[in-house]
Amino acid sequence: MLIVRKIREMQSIAETVRKDKIIGFVPTMGFLHEGHLSLVRKSKEMTDVTVVSIFVNPIQFGPNEDFEMYPRDLERDRSLLEKEKVDVLFIPEKDEMYGEDYKTYVRVQEMEDYLCGKTRKGHFQGVATVVTKLFNIVKPHLAFFGQKDYQQLKIIEKLVRDLNMDVNIVACPTIREPDGLAMSSRNTYLSQEERKKAQHIYMALIKAEELFKKGERNAKKLVEEARNLLSSVEGLEIEYISVVDCETLEELEWINDSGVVAIACRIGKTRLIDNTILRRYEHDESHDEIKDSQGKGY
Ligand code: PAF
């Protein structure tokens, strides 16, 4: 696995590789888990050369958030990626990505303000900016993102469409622990007792799914049931439970064909998010084909 630390070097490798190979890209902030590795495996399956980046992006953390304490273990990450036969690991330093006179930011209006955007001001601007920079550096044909960070995924899809970026976003399913907790690097903050409480988030999503399957279309009712379940968990503080449009992320009162139930809560000092997509009709992803701007399929 080639380790690259400099932007110019990464760009020049990407330029050469792009001539006759398909580049797959998995951007991460490190402290890798099975969720990240599932993205890597998908990229290995669909592309010729897989690039993974590890960069804990300071501009997507608020002043009172966990940038300093965000878990980091480069040696462990590196050996996990070696095992997956990743081709290139891009690990820039903060100063390489944001020089002293850094001035340019990317925003996806409205979508950045809903859900997590209400409390994490500037977070999605930080994400949109770093992802734009990384796409310009790694020049991928396909980039892989998890559905667990649903708002991030939809913001990036919109960003790519609006700015006519020559990259296809591949959305990958949430990977869960055996008890249903969505995998996240932040799960390591949880004590044993907190970890047990955290499984209720998935249970609340399942509850909403069950009601939807039985025919409930009133978003308030789904939220209420999920809230009842979570309110009974001592020490779990609900930040939001919302039902939103799958694309615009606007709050829904009524679910016609589809909607997303999204939850954010705090357990102790750990903030956790999760979601589930509700669809009236089954969606067969095996029939989705990705085509690039020249109509080439993947
Ligand atoms: O999901 C993440 O790990 C980060 O938000 C990302 C996409 C790597 C940007 O820093």
Side-chain angles (χ1 to χ4, degrees):
M1 184 170 70
L2 191 63
I3 309 258
V4 179
R5 293 169 198 276
K6 295 289 169 201
I7 292 171
R8 272 309 309 157
E9 189 191 351
M10 187 63 244
Q11 282 172 322
S12 120
I13 293 168
E15 226 160 271
T16 311
V17 172
R18 244 187 108 89
K19 286 189 185 129
D20 56 358
K21 288 194 169 61
I22 301 298
I23 303 180
F25 178 42
V26 182
T28 82
M29 297 207 298
F31 213 73
L32 306 176
H33 50 69
E34 277 300 310
H36 296 114
L37 299 182
S38 74
L39 306 180
V40 168
R41 287 170 199 145
K42 194 78 192 155
S43 172
K44 294 285 297 175
E45 210 181 277
M46 293 180 73
T47 70
D48 303 317
V49 171
T50 292
V51 181
V52 175
S53 65
I54 295 180
F55 178 63
V56 185
N57 175 35
I59 68 163
Q60 71 186 70
F61 290 81
N64 299 319
E65 292 185 359
D66 55 344
F67 174 69
E68 294 300 340
M69 69 178 280
Y70 195 84
R72 294 161 170 89
D73 190 342
L74 187 56
E75 271 326 297
R76 183 180 154 275
D77 289 347
R78 189 174 161 160
S79 102
L80 286 171
L81 296 174
E82 294 264 15
K83 276 195 201 118
E84 298 295 332
K85 301 197 167 31
V86 163
D87 301 284
V88 183
L89 172 59
F90 178 54
I91 40 170
E93 289 291 333
K94 177 171 161 260
D95 293 349
E96 180 73 1
M97 291 294 278
Y98 303 108
E100 248 176 41
D101 61 341
Y102 193 83
K103 293 276 188 277
T104 308
Y105 296 89
V106 181
R107 288 185 54 190
V108 180
Q109 291 182 342
E110 290 168 25
M111 290 175 81
E112 65 176 15
D113 298 326
Y114 304 129
L115 301 171
C116 295
K118 285 187 191 151
T119 50
R120 301 194 72 190
K121 297 282 173 220
H123 168 68
F124 290 109
Q125 170 177 298
V127 171
T129 302
V130 81
V131 169
T132 303
K133 285 168 71 67
L134 289 167
F135 284 174
N136 285 332
I137 297 165
V138 176
K139 304 176 197 280
H141 295 87
L142 302 183
F144 298 80
F145 291 87
Q147 189 204 301
K148 189 210 148 233
D149 297 305
Y150 193 83
Q151 186 171 13
Q152 165 171 291
L153 168 68
K154 289 293 143 180
I155 284 178
I156 290 164
E157 284 177 355
K158 183 82 176 100
L159 162 78
V160 162
R161 281 201 301 277
D162 284 358
L163 296 184
N164 311 102
M165 290 179 172
D166 196 7
V167 53
N168 290 288
I169 304 302
V170 183
C172 301
T174 302
I175 304 298
R176 299 182 179 282
E177 300 286 356
D179 66 358
L181 178 67
M183 290 204 184
S184 161
S185 306
R186 289 190 168 99
N187 291 353
T188 50
Y189 299 155
L190 297 167
S191 68
Q192 248 180 10
E193 203 185 319
E194 290 173 337
R195 174 65 189 73
K196 275 196 199 133
K197 293 180 180 174
Q199 63 179 311
H200 290 86
I201 302 169
Y202 184 59
M203 284 158 70
L205 291 173
I206 295 284
K207 181 93 207 159
E209 275 179 15
E210 281 169 4
L211 287 173
F212 181 76
K213 275 189 199 138
K214 282 187 192 150
E216 184 59 79
R217 297 290 178 264
N218 185 339
K220 259 199 198 128
K221 289 264 167 59
L222 301 185
V223 169
E224 200 177 283
E225 288 293 328
R227 189 175 290 279
N228 284 345
L229 194 150
L230 286 179
S231 313
S232 66
V233 183
E234 213 189 288
L236 184 152
E237 190 194 317
I238 301 169
E239 191 179 290
Y240 66 73
I241 305 175
S242 295
V243 179
V244 298
D245 181 273
C246 292
E247 292 306 314
T248 65
L249 305 179
E250 277 165 306
E251 189 108 15
L252 293 179
E253 282 184 13
W254 191 260
I255 307 166
N256 288 320
D257 290 336
S258 63
V260 176
V261 185
I263 296 179
C265 55
R266 276 177 197 282
I267 303 179
K269 61 179 186 340
T270 313
R271 186 176 182 278
L272 299 168
I273 57 170
D274 201 350
N275 65 78
T276 185
I277 303 175
L278 305 177
R279 283 186 216 281
R280 195 164 182 165
Y281 307 105
E282 283 303 315
H283 175 77
D284 185 354
E285 280 172 15
S286 62
H287 292 300
D288 291 352
E289 198 192 357
I290 297 167
K291 289 215 170 83
D292 68 12
S293 48
Q294 281 89 48
K296 181 179 181 310
Y298 295 95

